[in-house]
Amino acid sequence: MSDPGMTYAAGLSERYDRVKAALPPHVRLVAVSKTRSVEEVQALYALGQRDFGENYPQELKTKQPLLPADIRWHFIGHLQTNKVKMIAGFVHLVHAVDSQRLLDELDKRAEAAGRRIGVLLQRHIAREESKHGLDEAKLEAILVLREQGAWPHLDFQGMMGMATLTEDLGQVQQEFEGLAETYRTLPLKYPRACAGFDTLSMGMSDDAPIAVEAGSNMVRIGTAIFGPRGA
Ligand SMILES: *Cc1c(COP(=O)(O)O)cnc(C)c1O
C-alpha cells in the first residue's frame, strides 16, 4: 500500500481487534492515548472506541476540545491538586486518587462545574517506593470520612492499582490478587462509602492478562493498541 495513512489505520485496526479479542466481555477497555496525536485518537474512535486515558493535564486539556464530545476521558496518571481545574469540567473518571487533598479539590471543582466526577482510589501495591498510591491506613481514613458523607460531588466507583515493574510474574499476580481482595472486602466494612463500587482498574499492555485473571474489570492499554510510544 502506498498511502501511509491507510497502512496506519490497518495496523491500528488489527492491534485493536487483537486486544479486544483477548478481553472477557465484562472487562472494560481504556485506550491509553497519552503522547498520541489527535489524528491517532480519531482513528481509534472511528473503530468504535469511546474510553480514552491520559496522564498529563495540559495534554488532555488541549486534546479534548479537538475530539468528539462523547469520548469518556479517563485521567489515569498522578494528578496534582493545582491541575485539577484544567480537566474538572469534562473528565469522566479519575483513576489515581491518592490523597484527601486531591479529593477536596476534585469535590470543590466538581461543584463549581455543576457536575459529578467519578473517582477510583489508588492503593499502593508495588514494591517500588516511586509508585503513588494510598497505604491501608490512609485508604481507610478516607473511607471513614466518606462513610459520613464527605465529598458529596464525587462518585466513588472503585479502586486502581499498578503492579511492580518486574519479570517476576508471580509477584505481579500476588499484588493484583491482594488489591482484588481489598476491593471485594472493603464494602463489607464501609457499605455506604463503597456502595457505588463497580470498577477495579488494574492491568496495562504487559500485565493485563494477569490482572484480569486476578479480578480486574477495567484495563488501561496503550502500547498494545497504538504501538510503541515515541516510535
Ligand atoms: C501509560 C500508562 C498505561 C498504559 O501503558 P501501556 O504499557 O502503554 O499499555 C496504563 N496505566 C497508566 C497509569 C499509565 O501511565
Side-chain angles (χ1 to χ4, degrees):
M1 239 182 291
S2 56
D3 180 349
M6 277 309 293
T7 311
Y8 174 78
L12 182 70
S13 171
E14 200 181 297
R15 290 190 299 271
Y16 182 50
D17 285 346
R18 206 181 311 131
V19 166
K20 280 192 301 178
L23 294 176
H26 71 279
V27 178
R28 285 164 290 165
L29 171 61
V30 176
V32 176
S33 52
K34 64 185 177 204
T35 77
R36 313 294 174 174
S37 68
V38 165
E39 290 72 24
E40 286 171 286
V41 176
Q42 189 74 58
L44 193 63
Y45 178 91
L47 297 173
Q49 181 66 22
R50 292 296 178 269
D51 290 272
F52 288 87
E54 293 276 340
N55 281 50
Y56 309 105
Q58 183 59 58
E59 180 181 348
L60 175 51
K61 185 185 175 209
T62 306
K63 276 176 176 169
Q64 186 266 342
L66 304 174
L67 284 154
D70 64 338
I71 287 182
R72 290 181 292 270
W73 289 107
H74 297 245
F75 195 84
I76 62 171
H78 176 65
L79 181 56
Q80 289 174 272
T81 314
N82 63 351
K83 302 284 169 64
V84 168
K85 59 179 176 295
M86 286 189 186
I87 61 171
F90 62 86
V91 72
H92 171 67
L93 185 61
V94 177
H95 285 227
V97 171
D98 61 357
S99 73
Q100 291 188 24
R101 267 188 68 221
L102 180 55
L103 286 164
D104 292 344
E105 180 68 12
L106 282 162
D107 188 70
K108 182 176 120 189
R109 296 287 171 186
E111 182 179 23
R115 61 190 300 268
R116 306 187 64 75
I117 297 176
V119 296
L120 303 180
L121 301 171
Q122 182 182 11
R123 176 82 169 86
H124 186 274
I125 55 171
R127 283 205 181 135
E128 291 125 290
E129 278 296 317
S130 60
K131 295 237 162 99
H132 294 280
L134 297 154
D135 63 21
E136 194 179 322
K138 288 186 174 139
L139 173 64
E140 298 222 12
I142 284 172
L143 291 171
V144 166
L145 291 171
R146 179 66 172 182
E147 200 67 13
Q148 298 159 3
W151 308 295
H153 306 95
L154 303 181
D155 292 323
F156 277 41
Q157 295 184 3
M159 300 192 64
M160 179 267 199
M162 291 176 81
T164 307
L165 190 62
T166 171
E167 306 278 288
D168 181 356
L169 299 184
Q171 171 73 20
V172 172
Q173 183 184 354
Q174 244 178 43
E175 290 171 359
F176 284 150
E177 284 175 351
L179 179 55
E181 173 73 10
T182 302
Y183 170 76
R184 276 194 305 271
T185 52
L186 280 178
L188 306 175
K189 201 166 166 189
Y190 304 101
R192 186 168 170 223
C194 304
F197 271 27
D198 63 3
T199 303
L200 179 56
S201 169
M202 324 188 281
M204 322 193 340
S205 292
D206 286 339
D207 58 19
I210 302 173
V212 168
E213 183 70 31
S216 167
N217 63 18
M218 183 175 277
V219 293
R220 311 175 309 271
I221 297 189
T223 311
I225 296 173
F226 289 107
R229 273 182 294 277

